[in-house]
Amino acid sequence: MLQSHSPWTGRPLVLVGLMGVGKSTVGRRLATRLKLPFVDADNAIEDAAGMTITEIFARFGEPYFRAGERRVIGRLMDGTPKVIATGGGAFIDPATRKLILDQATAIWLSAHPDVLVERVKRRDTRPLLRGKDARQVLSDLAAVRDPIYAQAHIHVSSQKGPHEVTVNAILKAIGR
């Protein structure tokens, strides 16, 4: 359930993992518990672009979005302690991943596909799931992305149930 390669050093804590794993919800709660600012990178991207992520994907495509995402995450990596929730694909981009690994403590949140499917059903705002079978898309993404997410400094498994359990597991992993 818990794998940790390095203790927290006060650098930004960056949550990575598949969509629906709880990065934003867990991130907000983690930031509150640590008395740190919380930033949702997707919200920061939308603010910078003046449009939603769905609109960015539709108008410009994924490569354009990933480049903008990298720039925004780069700006967020200002060396101050904070909790940052990233979009599911952010850590997959090699340059963004290097930035996160070099300048932050990366925490991979993983979850069983059943948990992810249940969570992503709640909102219709995920461009990669539009008109597709969520279980199949998430299984395919996990097969490709999990080995990359595994490069994160810390790995915590998010279970079905209260997000507070995941927050507590992260706090334990970072020595808090």
Side-chain angles (χ1 to χ4, degrees):
M1 174 188 272
L2 183 62
Q3 167 190 352
S4 176
H5 296 295
S6 69
W8 184 44
T9 61
R11 300 188 306 173
L13 296 169
V14 179
L15 305 180
V16 302
L18 286 174
M19 66 181 93
V21 78
K23 297 180 298 289
S24 296
T25 304
V26 168
R28 276 187 205 90
R29 293 176 186 197
L30 179 64
T32 297
R33 295 272 298 274
L34 291 170
K35 296 178 176 52
L36 293 175
F38 170 76
V39 182
D40 186 309
D42 284 350
N43 292 344
I45 292 162
E46 289 179 343
D47 291 346
M51 62 179 76
T52 68
I53 288 171
T54 302
E55 291 168 338
I56 297 168
F57 263 75
R59 184 183 274 175
F60 302 108
E62 187 173 359
Y64 178 91
F65 169 77
R66 296 294 171 209
E69 178 179 58
R70 184 179 324 108
R71 288 190 300 274
V72 168
I73 290 173
R75 284 195 298 270
L76 295 174
M77 296 289 167
D78 59 7
T80 62
K82 65 178 67 107
V83 177
I84 302 168
T86 62
F91 199 68
I92 304 310
D93 178 86
T96 305
R97 180 172 59 253
K98 179 173 179 7
L99 180 72
I100 293 168
L101 290 173
D102 289 350
Q103 297 184 31
T105 298
I107 301 169
W108 172 29
L109 298 182
S110 65
H112 189 276
D114 292 339
V115 174
L116 296 175
V117 170
E118 181 62 34
R119 290 178 182 167
V120 299
K121 284 192 321 193
R122 298 175 192 162
R123 292 186 303 177
D124 184 31
T125 58
R126 316 232 183 223
L128 295 177
L129 296 180
R130 283 271 157 88
K132 298 177 183 155
D133 176 78
R135 178 176 303 286
Q136 188 61 55
V137 171
L138 289 164
S139 295
D140 292 348
L141 285 172
V144 171
R145 292 180 175 184
D146 284 358
I148 298 169
Y149 292 142
Q151 295 175 42
H153 304 107
I154 296 170
H155 177 204
V156 174
S157 178
S158 176
Q159 307 296 319
K160 185 175 181 175
H163 286 294
E164 210 57 40
V165 173
T166 304
V167 172
N168 290 336
I170 293 170
L171 290 169
K172 182 177 178 185
I174 65 171
R176 293 292 163 128

